Amino acid sequence: MDWPNLRTRGYLSPGEIARLRPSPLEAGLRGAVAVIECVEDIPCNPCEEACPNGAIVVGDDITRVPRFYEERCTGCGLCIPACPGLAIFVIDQSEGEDAIIKMPYEFLPVPREGQQVQALDRQGRAVCRGTVTKVVDASGYNKTIVLHLAVPRQHVMDVRGIKMTNEGTPAGDPTICRCMEVTRGEILRAIREGGARSIPAIKRRTTAGMGVCQGKTCSGLITGILCQEIGVDPECTGQDTARPPVRPLALDALGGDME
Amino acid sequence: MRILDHPVLGRVQAPRQVAILFEGTPIPCVEGEPIAAALAAAGIRVLHFSNTRHEPRGLFCALGRCNECRMVVDGVFNVRTCITPVRDGMTVKRQHGHGTIGPAR
Ligand code: SF4
Ligand code: SF4
């Protein structure tokens, strides 16, 4: 049962990938070729317009998934930044020990050419180390950057993202609750070492969610971390108790003589 | 940067210029825009410093939810500047931490 994966989890499963035709893995052995990981019938067709060689056809029925004519594809990569869903990649396994994956990238900071990064799969899990061999920031690409990433060949169909290692930036422990300045690491500790199994339990151990914004910014993130850690659905994590006031209020407004 | 011609909201007609005082420096504003928008247009990105780690903080949600844009406005702490319109002559200061009860020094 893996068809519902994209809709329920937000990323394609190996089964969904295996159904992509023609098989990108075989085509990629001969040279650079596009991999179009677009499986939903959505009204969208910039990929068709972007391809100078007619390798991608959506047709008049704009909700169809694109059909891909591998033999026409030169691997130029013009379709990569054109896809608003960031669903198109180009793979090339024809040269050298490593495979090259060309992928869209829309985060800051932009990696440098030559930089070592962690290569991630569709789910965001670390797969292997990768090297950014090229960074293409072309004016026609409308601010979507195309990265060329070299990874060991066996991972060419798994790696679809990168994570920068944190050279020169504060330790890779992002702040989750911005008001109370609680980091992801502290929340993980509350779950792993403190035994917290609900949102209120995390709140009691870390104070996350007790700041001025009343958890409006962090509670979704904390729910996600907890669900991932202990493998439950969001309905099972409990909710913070919402207490007034919901936004900063002058004391005057409660008891004073403010209008 | 200001969006003066918006695909949905249309073009801003004859914007009226006003000014606020940010830490003593006059900042030109378009009447009616939020304080944080005027500061952003002037290149000012740090709006307050967090209470514990004293980290610089700036616009985050920009719709009044996250409270990251809290500043001291006309001596009042914790004003969410992303949803508070500018007024001519308003004084705006960076806030350090949570603020105190009573008027700001
Ligand atoms: S890589 Fe180039 S030739 Fe191949 S499908 Fe994309 S745009 Fe067309
Ligand atoms: S542009 Fe991307 S999302 Fe749209 S149809 Fe083409 S591949 Fe699918």
Side-chain angles (χ1 to χ4, degrees), chain A residues 34 50-53 55-56 68 72-79 90:
Chain A
C51 178
N53 302 314
I56 310 178
F68 179 54
R72 298 183 198 157
C73 173
T74 59
C76 68
L78 288 174
C79 50
V90 166

Side-chain angles (χ1 to χ4, degrees), chain A residues 205-226:
Chain A
R205 284 165 180 80
T206 63
T207 73
M210 295 173 70
V212 265
C213 92
Q214 293 278 293
K216 288 202 232 19
T217 312
C218 62
S219 69
L221 296 169
I222 298 172
T223 306
I225 295 172
L226 181 62

Side-chain angles (χ1 to χ4, degrees), chain A residues 32-36 47-56 68-70 72-80 88-90 102:
Chain A
V33 71
V35 182
I36 301 181
C47 50
E48 180 171 32
E49 302 264 312
C51 178
N53 302 314
I56 310 178
F68 179 54
Y69 297 94
E70 169 213 315
R72 298 183 198 157
C73 173
T74 59
C76 68
L78 288 174
C79 50
I80 299 173
I88 306 186
F89 304 82
V90 166
K102 303 178 191 176

Side-chain angles (χ1 to χ4, degrees), chain A residues 173 175 177-183 186 212-217 246-248 250-251, chain B residues 50-55 57-58 60-61 64-68 70 76 78 80 98 101:
Chain A
D173 190 9
T175 299
C177 169
R178 303 180 67 84
C179 303
M180 301 306 287
E181 301 173 70
V182 181
T183 66
E186 291 171 77
V212 265
C213 92
Q214 293 278 293
K216 288 202 232 19
T217 312
V246 297
R247 61 179 74 96
L251 272 180
Chain B
S50 68
N51 192 57
T52 311
R53 297 202 297 254
H54 312 290
E55 289 168 349
R57 294 289 176 81
F60 189 63
C61 79
R65 212 171 120 102
C66 77
N67 289 270
E68 293 288 88
R70 283 171 293 140
V76 177
N78 295 316
R80 289 171 297 163
H98 295 323
I101 292 180

